[in-house]
């Protein structure tokens, strides 16, 4: 899942719109991530540079990425050197995974100097470096000492490009050169031979070459016939023509469950029905979507790791407590038997004497009156033995009532904590996380700590518009769910929630249709779209189908003393829908 050199060249081509633009803002959202906002003739464009080993990339972005309050030192250094600088050129040597961004910026004396931002997209060795006109490193986002690597990267050193691989470039090689290189190792698998022949391609493209050649299992080079080489070269040449003409199919590959697997600059067919492919208009659009979706949960987990641990531990503890209480409740089932023993002793007092350890009595509670043996305490009078059984009965009866209350309370608590956990997995900003921290503090699960300055603002509820023009609002957390349902929604609006599992409250604004207070149901298509949104923003997000309840807001009530987000409802209908990500993105305002 690497950003290869050919894909990078297509990003470089798309970034051509930045040439001549001036640096407007620079900020560093995380330790190994940088955003440069460049003002161009077409407006403000944002360039994202990420050097994390598993997601290193550079591309234009439209994602809403937070600017931290305190900029790191490297970010301040870049601001010092590049602020208001002009992007003069973007360079790439062949299909190397390195982009050189040349800026003309003013130094301390006001003279215009050439500075270069070198972006290396090389897995674990990915880096971002600021170079002066002589090619000397001013600083880098990741410093590498000689103790760590035989190729140190430190300020003051001369920057050197990596040695060339000697592979052929897909846009320059001939059929003869290509075939000769591939045939050089007859025992090699075809996909690996293609990888070793062409510069700047990823394994997913090499395997697609092999699939197009054989349409079956992987071949070795020694099994290649002339006809198969014709097919292989046809595919490679067709891809080259697409690259030159700018007619690439930027393809995302994901599982039917929605797990992102890979991406490529051409169409991928080798998975058949095992994978789902989606095409994008530009390389940046694909990467923006791919990493924003894939890394959303990991980013949130990093920022809210303590909350995830707290919730997971509290949920486990609550469920274990409820499980033990259920076991105790089973023991309470024998209380009726104890009461019967007391009644049978009282009915047979005339035949019981002090000192007896056991009696046999006809059980008149059963139709056929079988004989039952009852243990006695020989130290007690017969009536006292009966009272002993009655006392145990009352004790278990009281325990059962209390246990039922505790179990119901524990189940509600576990459900509430699960809803907070679900909301936390969908949190997008520090403000969203702060809102959840505040909610947990109000409920007594978290101690309030002293916070410097104003807390970050959470995002407002999500807005959608149905195909038929109805506004749909979705809460991001329990506090927003309560506010939407109980305060902001009108009685004749439609409320939706996924059935029996945690998820967001969804409101369809009906706009006061019909007479005041009259129930007017929106069109079926709007209800289906809102239900799909409700299913998507719930724990059923990755399910193939989900049941969604819906009713008028007037039938939704919040019980007194209930936890945030917890409501009861009546007069509801249920619809089964598929959580549709494409639909959600299309309808989002």
């Amino acid at each position: 899942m690497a950003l290869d050199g050919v894909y990078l060249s297509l990003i470089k081509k798309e970034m051509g719109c930045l040439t001549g633009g001036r640096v407007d803002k620079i900020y560093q959202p995380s330790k190994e991530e940088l955003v440069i906002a460049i003002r161009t003739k077409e407006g403000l464009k944002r360039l994202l540079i990420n050097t994390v080993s598993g997601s290193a990339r550079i591309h234009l972005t439209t994602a809403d990425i937070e600017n931290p309050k305190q900029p790191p030192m490297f970010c301040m250094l870049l601001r010092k050197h590049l602020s208001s600088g002009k992007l003069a050129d973007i360079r790439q040597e062949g299909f190397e995974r390195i982009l050189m961004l040349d800026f003309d910026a003013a130094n301390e004396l006001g003279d215009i100097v050439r500075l270069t931002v070198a972006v290396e997209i090389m897995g674990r060795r990915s880096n971002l470096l600021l170079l002066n006109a002589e090619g000397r490193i001013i600083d880098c986002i990741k410093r590498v000492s000689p103790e760590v690597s035989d190729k140190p990267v430190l300020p003051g050193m001369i920057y050197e490009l990596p040695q060339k691989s000697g592979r052929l470039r897909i846009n320059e090689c001939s059929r003869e050169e290509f075939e000769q290189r591939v045939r050089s190792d007859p025992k090699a698998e075809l996909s690996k031979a293609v990888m070793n022949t062409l510069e700047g391609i990823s394994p997913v493209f090499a395997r697609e070459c092999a699939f197009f050649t054989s349409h079956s299992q992987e071949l070795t080079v020694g099994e290649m016939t002339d006809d198969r080489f014709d097919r292989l070269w046809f595919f490679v040449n067709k891809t080259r023509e697409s690259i030159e003409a700018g007619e690439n199919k930027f393809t995302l590959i994901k599982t039917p469950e929605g797990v992102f697997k890979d991406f490529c600059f051409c169409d991928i067919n080798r998975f058949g029905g095992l994978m789902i492919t989606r095409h994008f208009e530009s390389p940046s659009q694909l990467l923006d979507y791919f990493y924003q979706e894939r890394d959303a949960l990991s980013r949130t987990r990093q920022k809210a790791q303590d909350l995830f641990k707290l919730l997971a531990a509290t949920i486990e503890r609550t469920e274990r407590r409820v499980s033990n209480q259920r076991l105790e409740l089973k023991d309470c089932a024998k209380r009726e038997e104890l009461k019967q023993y007391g009644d049978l002793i009282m009915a047979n007092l005339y035949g019981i004497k002090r000192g007896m350890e056991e009696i046999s009595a006809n059980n008149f509670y059963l139709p056929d009156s079988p004989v039952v043996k009852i243990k006695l305490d020989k130290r007690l009078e017969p009536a006292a033995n009966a009272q002993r059984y009655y006392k145990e009965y009352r004790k278990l009866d009281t325990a059962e009532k209390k246990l039922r209350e505790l179990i119901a309370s524990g189940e509600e608590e576990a459900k509430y904590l699960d809803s907070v956990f679900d909301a936390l997995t969908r949190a997008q900003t520090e403000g969203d996380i702060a809102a959840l921290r505040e909610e947990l503090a109000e409920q007594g699960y978290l101690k309030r700590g002293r916070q410097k300055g104003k807390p970050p603002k959470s995002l407002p509820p999500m807005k959608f518009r149905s195909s038929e023009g109805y506004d749909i609002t979705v809460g991001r957390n329990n506090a927003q769910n309560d506010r939407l349902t109980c305060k902001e929604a009108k009685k004749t609006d439609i409320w939706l929630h996924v059935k029996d599992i945690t998820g967001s409250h969804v409101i369809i604004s009906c706009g006061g249709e019909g007479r005041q207070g009259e129930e007017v149901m929106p069109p079926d298509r709007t209800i289906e779209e809102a239900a799909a949104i409700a299913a998507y923003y719930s724990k059923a997000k990755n399910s193939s189908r989900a049941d969604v309840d819906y009713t008028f807001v007037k039938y939704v009530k919040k019980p007194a003393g209930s936890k945030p987000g917890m409501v009861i409802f009546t007069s509801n209908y249920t619809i089964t829908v598929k959580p549709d990500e494409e639909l959600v993105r299309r309808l989002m305002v």
Side-chain angles (χ1 to χ4, degrees):
M1 197 185 298
L3 176 59
D4 60 38
V6 175
Y7 200 106
L8 189 61
S9 71
L10 297 170
I11 291 176
K12 171 183 172 288
K13 185 177 180 180
E14 184 186 14
M15 287 169 54
C17 65
L18 302 179
T19 306
R22 291 197 175 274
V23 175
D24 186 72
K25 291 181 181 179
I26 300 175
Y27 55 98
Q28 192 172 346
S30 60
K31 185 179 178 182
E32 300 179 27
E33 191 174 41
L34 192 82
V35 176
I36 303 176
I38 300 177
R39 194 163 295 282
T40 70
K41 294 179 181 179
E42 301 175 7
L44 191 66
K45 305 283 186 180
R46 288 186 298 168
L47 183 65
L48 172 67
I49 305 171
N50 188 303
T51 59
V52 178
S53 61
S55 55
R57 64 197 187 276
I58 175 173
H59 60 86
L60 298 174
T61 182
T62 57
D64 187 14
I65 303 174
E66 275 191 299
N67 184 6
K69 294 180 180 179
Q70 297 296 329
M73 292 298 296
F74 183 71
C75 179
M76 295 175 67
L77 176 80
L78 289 180
R79 288 177 180 178
K80 173 186 174 183
H81 288 280
L82 297 181
S83 289
S84 300
K86 178 182 178 181
L87 180 59
D89 194 16
I90 304 172
R91 297 178 284 122
Q92 181 186 19
E93 180 65 28
F95 291 122
E96 290 289 344
R97 290 182 293 167
I98 301 174
L99 280 190
M100 313 292 283
L101 282 64
D102 295 328
F103 291 89
D104 289 335
N107 61 13
E108 294 88 343
L109 302 176
D111 298 327
I112 301 299
V113 295
R114 174 63 60 93
L115 298 173
T116 300
V117 173
V119 183
E120 299 180 334
I121 310 297
M122 297 179 171
R124 290 180 299 173
R125 292 179 51 236
S126 298
N127 210 338
L128 186 155
L129 309 95
L130 179 64
L131 314 176
N132 63 17
E134 291 76 35
R136 197 173 293 275
I137 300 173
I138 298 175
D139 207 347
C140 47
I141 202 167
K142 290 192 286 188
R143 296 183 180 184
V144 182
S145 65
E147 291 79 14
V148 176
S149 172
D150 57 353
K151 294 182 179 180
V153 182
L154 294 170
M157 300 181 64
I158 293 292
Y159 177 73
E160 296 180 357
L161 289 169
Q163 292 182 350
K164 295 183 178 180
S165 63
R167 297 174 184 173
L168 301 176
R169 296 176 183 174
I170 192 172
N171 61 338
E172 296 177 357
C173 67
S174 65
R175 158 75 186 260
E176 291 73 21
E177 291 175 314
F178 176 75
E179 185 172 343
Q180 184 180 1
R181 287 286 187 93
V182 172
R183 287 189 183 277
S184 62
D185 186 2
K187 294 182 180 179
E189 292 181 352
L190 179 59
S191 60
K192 293 182 179 179
V194 173
M195 277 281 295
N196 294 330
T197 298
L198 296 178
E199 180 185 54
I201 64 167
S202 62
V204 67
F205 174 75
R207 295 187 188 109
E208 187 66 16
C209 289
F211 172 77
F212 186 86
T213 301
S214 64
H215 287 292
S216 61
Q217 62 185 13
E218 180 78 65
L219 296 174
T220 62
V221 174
E223 295 173 310
M224 290 287 289
T225 62
D226 290 340
D227 288 342
R228 284 174 171 169
F229 261 109
D230 288 340
R231 288 185 58 82
L232 176 60
W233 176 250
F234 174 82
F235 184 79
V236 171
N237 192 53
K238 180 183 176 183
T239 304
R240 173 164 68 180
E241 291 173 353
S242 299
I243 294 171
E244 293 173 350
E247 299 175 349
N248 301 87
K249 283 189 174 181
F250 301 103
T251 306
L252 168 69
I253 308 164
K254 62 181 180 179
T255 66
E257 294 75 28
V259 179
F260 293 178
K261 301 300 289 185
D262 219 322
F263 57 86
C264 193
F265 52 83
C266 69
D267 201 7
I268 302 296
N269 298 303
R270 71 185 185 90
F271 294 106
L274 299 177
M275 295 285 180
I276 298 172
T277 59
R278 177 182 171 185
H279 300 106
F280 291 79
E281 294 180 358
S282 72
S284 290
Q285 188 183 26
L286 188 156
L287 292 183
D288 215 15
Y289 174 78
F290 183 93
Y291 287 104
Q292 185 180 356
E293 291 294 316
R294 198 199 70 167
D295 295 345
L297 179 57
S298 62
R299 278 187 184 177
T300 306
R301 285 187 179 278
Q302 289 176 1
K303 293 180 180 178
Q305 193 171 15
D306 60 325
L307 289 187
F308 279 110
K309 288 182 179 179
L310 170 70
L311 288 169
T314 309
I315 291 171
E316 182 184 2
R317 186 166 60 248
T318 303
E319 291 178 344
R320 186 168 61 247
R321 184 180 71 237
V322 170
S323 178
N324 291 335
Q325 289 168 348
R326 287 198 182 102
L327 292 176
E328 292 181 35
L329 185 62
K330 286 184 179 179
D331 294 336
C332 295
K334 65 179 182 180
R335 73 189 188 289
E336 291 297 332
E337 185 180 77
L338 296 175
K339 183 176 180 296
Q340 292 176 12
Y341 286 171
D343 291 345
L344 293 175
I345 291 174
M346 294 299 293
N348 292 276
L349 280 177
Y350 63 89
I352 304 175
K353 296 180 180 179
R354 184 171 183 170
M356 295 178 65
E357 297 182 352
E358 184 181 79
I359 65 166
S360 297
N362 292 326
N363 189 353
F364 48 74
Y365 285 98
L366 297 178
D368 50 358
S369 298
V371 175
V372 60
K373 291 183 178 181
I374 304 173
K375 298 287 185 181
L376 300 176
D377 188 340
K378 64 182 180 180
R379 296 169 299 177
L380 301 177
E381 294 290 339
N385 270 292
Q387 292 303 320
R388 181 170 67 90
Y389 278 108
Y390 287 142
K391 183 179 179 180
E392 287 296 319
Y393 162 76
R394 289 191 297 270
K395 182 179 177 181
L396 291 180
D397 188 58
T398 303
E400 181 183 27
K401 294 175 182 177
K402 189 63 178 176
L403 283 170
R404 290 190 185 279
E405 293 177 4
L406 291 173
I407 290 171
S409 175
E411 289 174 341
E412 183 181 352
E413 182 182 12
K415 186 176 180 181
Y416 165 71
L417 292 169
D418 196 29
S419 71
V420 179
F421 192 95
D422 182 49
L424 188 59
T425 62
R426 295 197 301 271
Q428 297 179 3
T429 66
E430 291 185 15
D432 290 341
I433 297 171
L436 292 171
R437 286 186 190 276
E438 180 65 21
E439 180 182 332
L440 289 172
E442 289 177 356
Q443 297 300 315
Y445 295 102
L446 196 65
K447 290 184 178 179
R448 279 190 174 91
R450 292 184 178 180
Q451 186 171 7
K452 296 180 181 179
K454 294 182 179 180
K457 291 184 179 180
S458 61
L459 294 174
M462 293 172 282
K463 300 288 186 180
F464 300 84
R465 186 164 290 116
S466 75
S467 302
E468 293 159 318
Y470 285 79
D471 289 335
I472 301 171
T473 311
V474 181
R476 294 179 184 271
N477 52 51
N478 287 319
Q480 285 190 2
N481 288 338
D482 276 350
R483 190 163 62 250
L484 278 176
T485 302
C486 304
K487 294 183 179 180
E488 297 178 1
K490 296 179 180 179
K491 298 294 184 183
T492 52
D493 290 341
I494 301 298
W495 176 89
L496 303 95
H497 192 280
V498 69
K499 189 179 183 67
D500 295 334
I501 57 177
T502 58
S504 295
H505 291 203
V506 177
I507 300 293
I508 304 175
S509 299
C510 296
E513 293 186 7
R515 299 175 183 175
Q516 187 175 5
E518 184 180 355
E519 298 176 359
V520 179
M521 193 68 70
D524 291 345
R525 185 176 180 185
T526 292
I527 292 175
E528 289 174 4
E529 290 173 345
I533 293 171
Y536 183 79
Y537 288 104
S538 75
K539 289 190 72 174
K541 176 180 178 179
N542 295 322
S543 303
S544 58
R545 309 291 288 178
D547 291 335
V548 176
D549 291 324
Y550 65 98
T551 185
F552 289 97
V553 172
K554 64 190 293 184
Y555 298 120
V556 182
K557 307 295 179 184
K558 185 170 182 63
S562 61
K563 292 188 178 294
M566 302 293 110
V567 295
I568 56 176
F569 54 94
T570 57
S571 304
N572 62 290
Y573 305 90
T574 303
I575 183 174
T576 302
V577 294
K578 176 184 178 182
D580 193 340
E581 182 180 356
E582 298 293 331
L583 175 72
V584 169
R585 294 194 169 275
R586 190 176 75 247
L587 299 183
M588 182 172 285
V589 177

